[in-house]
Amino acid sequence: MLKAYDTQAPKKATNVSINADLLSKARTMNVNLSATLQQALLEAIASSQREQWLVENRAAIVAYNDHVDKHGAFSDGMRTS
């Protein structure tokens, strides 16, 4: 499976502004801000990539679904029940 990003790339410092109360609570609970942000970014990017893939492949998906509606799925003859 392809990696979503280069996990070996060096870390880069950046400035991020967040709600002060949220930051205080995260620090009180020993939340690793860098790891949490990195995971949230990974999930946001994956979601955007899924949406982009669906948009780019919408015509093929519709065509396949139309084909299955008219002719059935390729495995229909293989079913035992």
Side-chain angles (χ1 to χ4, degrees), residues 9-44:
K11 302 270 183 173
K12 181 171 173 117
T14 187
N15 292 325
V16 177
S17 297
I18 62 172
N19 177 285
D21 187 47
L22 187 60
L23 176 61
S24 176
K25 289 180 178 172
R27 286 186 172 157
T28 298
M29 299 180 84
N30 295 316
V31 173
N32 181 324
L33 297 178
S34 294
T36 302
L37 174 59
Q38 189 165 301
Q39 184 62 37
L41 286 173
L42 180 59
E43 291 169 10

Side-chain angles (χ1 to χ4, degrees), residues 4-79:
Y5 67 103
D6 180 2
T7 58
Q8 301 302 312
K11 302 270 183 173
K12 181 171 173 117
T14 187
N15 292 325
V16 177
S17 297
I18 62 172
N19 177 285
D21 187 47
L22 187 60
L23 176 61
S24 176
K25 289 180 178 172
R27 286 186 172 157
T28 298
M29 299 180 84
N30 295 316
V31 173
N32 181 324
L33 297 178
S34 294
T36 302
L37 174 59
Q38 189 165 301
Q39 184 62 37
L41 286 173
L42 180 59
E43 291 169 10
I45 289 167
S47 177
S48 292
Q49 288 174 330
R50 277 191 299 276
E51 290 299 319
Q52 181 180 352
W53 186 91
L54 286 171
V55 167
E56 291 172 355
N57 292 281
R58 181 168 286 132
I61 294 167
V62 168
Y64 175 77
N65 287 337
D66 288 345
H67 178 81
V68 170
D69 287 344
K70 291 176 187 169
H71 307 288
F74 72 94
S75 63
D76 282 348
M78 306 299 256
R79 295 183 185 173

